[in-house]
């Protein structure tokens, strides 16, 4: 098994974290967190990969045929849905900060009142 997918996931994670740390904009921060989340997709798909494996559809396929793990694929799809939901919430909060404070810079919008 190749370590390239695992290294790719680590690099995608590192780039996203670096962007989140250095971000001076809430919208940019949300996009960087999306990049970090994307690294989990690559990692999950790398874990579930089987060399020479087919789709996990077993109807009409003879017994013993190699297939990829369908649980990992379903976890990846669930991860995508959760990521989109969290991104929508973060962007809604960023728009609310922009409306209340007139800026999306996290350093300038430190004193938020509910």
């Amino acid at each position: 098994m190749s370590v390239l997918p695992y290294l790719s996931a680590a690099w995608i994670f590192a780039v996203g974290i670096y962007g989140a740390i250095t971000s001076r904009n809430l919208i940019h921060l949300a996009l960087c967190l999306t990049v970090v989340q994307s690294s989990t997709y690559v990692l999950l798909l790398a874990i579930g990969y089987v060399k020479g494996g087919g789709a996990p559809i077993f109807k009409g396929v003879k017994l013993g045929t190699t297939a990829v793990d369908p649980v990992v694929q379903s976890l990846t799809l669930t991860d995508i849905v959760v990521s989109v939901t969290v991104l929508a919430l973060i962007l809604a909060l960023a728009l609310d900060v922009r409306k209340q404070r007139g800026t999306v810079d996290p350093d300038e919008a430190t004193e938020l009142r509910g």
Side-chain angles (χ1 to χ4, degrees):
M1 173 107 187
S2 174
V3 296
L4 185 61
Y6 301 109
L7 289 175
S8 298
W11 277 107
I12 294 170
F13 182 82
V15 166
I17 289 294
Y18 176 77
I21 290 171
T22 61
S23 177
R24 294 293 102 204
N25 187 322
L26 292 174
I27 307 295
H28 182 257
L29 176 64
L31 293 176
C32 289
L33 291 176
T34 303
V35 170
V36 170
Q37 187 73 24
S38 297
S39 71
T40 62
Y41 311 153
V42 174
L43 183 63
L44 282 172
L45 292 175
I47 289 170
Y49 177 75
V50 176
K51 187 173 183 174
I57 301 170
F58 301 111
K59 184 175 182 180
V61 177
K62 63 182 177 178
L63 201 58
T65 303
T66 305
V68 296
D69 189 5
V71 173
V72 175
Q73 292 180 359
S74 64
L75 284 174
T76 303
L77 287 173
T78 304
D79 195 13
I80 291 170
V81 170
V82 169
S83 173
V84 169
T85 306
V86 169
L87 178 64
L89 178 66
I90 291 172
L91 290 176
L93 290 172
L95 286 175
D96 195 38
V97 168
R98 170 78 168 106
K99 188 186 334 178
Q100 288 183 7
R101 294 293 176 184
T103 184
V104 289
D105 186 358
D107 289 337
E108 293 179 17
T110 55
E111 297 178 15
L112 294 178
R113 293 178 295 278

